[in-house]
Amino acid sequence: MTRTPITDRPESELLARRGAESIAGGVVSLNRRTDPPISFVRARGSRLWDADGNEYVDYHAAFAPHILGHNDPEVNAAVRAAAEEGPSLMGAGTTPWEIELSERLRACVPSLERVQIANTGSEATAHAVRLSRAFTGREDVVLTLGGYNGWHNDVARQVMPGLDTVGPRASPGEYPFLPASAGIPKSAQRLVHVVNFNDSASVEWVLERHPVACVMTEPVLQNVGVIPPRPGYLRALREICDRHGALLVFDEVKTGFRSALGGYQSRCGVTPDLSVFGKAVANGYPLGVIGGRADVMARFDDPDPGRRVLIAGTYNAHPVPTAAAIATIDRLGRDDGAVYRELEAKGARLQKGLETIFSERGLTVVVSRLGSAFCAYFMDHQPVDWHDVASHHDFDLDRRYRRALVERGIFHFPLACKQGSISAAHSDADLALTLDLTREALKSL
Ligand SMILES: Cc1ncc(COP(=O)(O)O)c(C=O)c1O
């Protein structure tokens, strides 16, 4: 693979300077900013190319949607057909393709008695919160520390706060809502209760004290690496929500369609009241899903306008992303889910290879993995929550590790603890190359 030094990428720098003249902050969606700046101009399968002609094996996957790889030929063929031969966005009545997608979603995830379709994960979580409030007549919401559920007022707290700001582990108890954005009203912040992941006692503690509409959590924390639920934790949430009359909402934007066709809920055996999906469901095209209990979802069409919940969007179920989602789901379900077996095997191979390389170097590292999602924690045990990561993970080493990998052509997002994602397009040769380059990268640290 051709390489230029990471600090000498003139085309990327030129684009960064040009972007800064027109785009507020220089980059669209500011969490994409990297230091030093890298602009990618081409992607195919498991590979990316930057503006200076450097090639990378990609494990960022654009924050995880590309489960089949970039520009998957089958998904793109469906997209082309939708764009060129299919009907345009009509904006009136239902369409055969939104029905087809909804039927597939329900067939994959049994808890989706009814669904609605939006454009992004954030839209889906916003709908889930509002729907929960309308259904329960309550306003408070419980979220997990270290989780991310989108950018809107009800959920936009800091994902990786310093322990100096968030304070020591509070159990049972809650943390202050540390907004990730200016402009979130105090009144909105007061309704949100942030608790530890893997800490059902804190959820119970909050539900005993506040009128909670919903407990929303990623079933596996995948915005601070990969932190699995402890045995019994999700079941305990189900039981606590039932006892206190709150809805349980699984944010499966990251786990859904990546960990299994039926979402993580099909692996853990816990059925939420509502679920939201995004990312892998459409292999890189913009689509968000909210679905769940028919009686709750019926509020979107309640005959009483005072009880009805608004869901609207000019582009919801646009034919292009809808076609992408249908093609993605069909591919993921083919041969009885063969893709997931392949991804599991690739994930296991990569994990074992990384563990061997880290131990050769005498480094204490835990490679946490759920199927195709993985993260190397520079600490001596599998973390259980954000406090565990924040107090034990070697962030500086992680940053240097990621940079050394990027320099050699392995693209992990250069931010500590960001999850890596393997796609169906990653070949055995890609994995072998990744391990060789990782060995080299570690020698340089
Ligand atoms: C778990 C989770 N929920 C919600 C979202 C928001 O999705 P989107 O970026 O599509 O709005 C994300 C995005 O990273 C996510 O990881």
Side-chain angles (χ1 to χ4, degrees):
M1 296 196 295
T2 343
R3 302 240 62 77
T4 55
I6 197 165
T7 46
D8 179 25
R9 304 214 165 164
E11 290 300 324
S12 275
E13 273 169 31
L14 199 66
L15 286 169
R17 280 200 295 279
R18 206 173 125 200
E21 282 167 22
S22 304
I23 303 168
V27 178
V28 166
S29 196
L30 280 156
N31 58 352
R32 295 180 189 163
R33 193 154 48 193
T34 63
D35 176 26
I38 304 179
S39 289
F40 293 106
V41 292
R42 195 154 75 87
R44 178 142 230 100
S46 63
R47 301 293 174 112
L48 296 175
W49 288 264
D50 71 20
D52 293 280
N54 297 294
E55 185 174 349
Y56 304 78
V57 182
D58 180 31
Y59 290 98
H60 175 45
F63 292 106
H66 297 288
I67 187 161
L68 298 174
H70 291 277
N71 282 319
D72 178 74
E74 225 172 288
V75 175
N76 278 6
V79 161
R80 261 197 307 279
E84 287 170 11
E85 296 145 33
S88 156
L89 176 69
M90 248 85 76
T94 192
T95 65
W97 50 94
E98 72 190 27
I99 296 171
E100 269 191 43
L101 174 57
S102 304
E103 288 169 350
R104 278 171 174 75
L105 291 164
R106 292 179 63 214
C108 293
V109 188
S111 75
L112 302 182
E113 293 172 358
R114 293 289 183 278
V115 298
Q116 268 287 347
I117 297 168
N119 305 288
T120 66
S122 296
E123 285 175 55
T125 57
H127 289 307
V129 170
R130 192 197 268 163
L131 186 59
S132 301
R133 285 175 168 153
F135 186 78
T136 60
R138 305 169 176 185
E139 296 199 340
D140 292 42
V141 171
V142 174
L143 304 175
T144 37
L145 187 68
Y148 179 69
N149 310 101
W151 48 256
H152 52 90
N153 284 358
D154 290 314
V155 297
R157 74 276 189 203
Q158 292 177 28
V159 177
M160 300 186 184
L163 293 189
D164 48 338
T165 49
V166 79
R169 212 186 232 125
S171 179
E174 62 176 301
Y175 302 103
F177 181 96
L178 299 171
S181 168
I184 300 180
K186 284 270 185 309
S187 56
Q189 297 180 31
R190 275 193 291 275
L191 296 174
V192 181
H193 307 276
V194 180
V195 300
N196 276 326
F197 187 69
N198 270 328
D199 180 3
S200 54
S202 288
V203 174
E204 175 107 59
W205 189 91
V206 173
L207 265 60
E208 277 166 356
R209 285 163 180 76
H210 302 279
V212 170
C214 69
V215 174
M216 180 188 283
T217 186
E218 296 174 71
V220 181
L221 273 196
Q222 281 187 213
N223 279 281
V224 287
V226 177
I227 303 186
R230 279 182 172 138
Y233 166 64
L234 296 172
R235 194 159 297 286
L237 292 190
R238 175 71 280 171
E239 191 272 316
I240 293 165
C241 284
D242 286 345
R243 206 150 24 79
H244 289 273
L247 298 185
L248 178 61
V249 182
F250 278 178
D251 179 345
E252 294 233 40
V253 168
K254 272 206 150 167
T255 49
F257 296 91
R258 181 166 279 283
S259 64
L261 201 54
Y264 190 74
Q265 54 196 271
S266 69
R267 295 176 67 144
C268 69
V270 176
T271 305
D273 298 297
L274 295 174
S275 309
V276 295
F277 296 88
K279 301 212 188 230
V281 69
N283 198 52
Y285 286 89
L287 194 113
V289 175
I290 169 170
R293 275 169 49 185
D295 59 335
V296 182
M297 295 292 288
R299 284 303 189 97
F300 282 132
D301 191 31
D302 199 289
D304 176 353
R307 287 160 48 97
R308 193 180 310 147
V309 176
L310 173 69
I311 185 159
T314 303
Y315 297 109
N316 290 7
H318 185 285
V320 165
T322 303
I326 291 170
T328 303
I329 293 174
D330 285 353
R331 173 77 187 289
L332 291 173
R334 199 169 297 152
D335 301 328
D336 199 21
V339 169
Y340 292 103
R341 290 191 293 281
E342 282 165 29
L343 286 171
E344 173 57 33
K346 288 175 190 176
R349 200 172 316 142
L350 192 61
Q351 176 176 7
K352 192 158 180 284
L354 290 173
E355 284 167 351
T356 305
I357 293 170
F358 288 129
S359 93
E360 277 166 15
R361 302 293 312 166
L363 287 167
T364 305
V365 183
V366 170
V367 180
S368 180
R369 185 177 67 83
L370 175 68
S372 58
F374 66 101
C375 181
Y377 291 104
F378 292 84
M379 54 193 276
D380 66 2
H381 59 278
Q382 166 73 57
V384 296
D385 59 19
W386 171 243
H387 273 74
D388 211 356
V389 179
S391 36
H392 296 108
H393 179 63
D394 188 336
F395 286 83
D396 178 54
L397 183 55
D398 191 350
R399 272 188 288 270
R400 289 189 289 121
Y401 167 67
R402 284 166 190 263
R403 189 178 167 111
L405 289 177
V406 174
E407 275 170 353
R408 285 162 182 78
I410 302 296
F411 192 68
H412 276 279
F413 196 74
L415 174 69
C417 296
K418 268 307 178 200
Q419 171 207 310
S421 301
I422 305 168
S423 77
H426 284 74
S427 63
D428 286 347
D430 286 329
L431 300 184
L433 179 65
T434 302
L435 294 173
D436 286 347
L437 293 174
T438 304
R439 193 174 269 115
E440 233 185 69
L442 287 179
K443 279 187 198 148
S444 76
L445 293 183

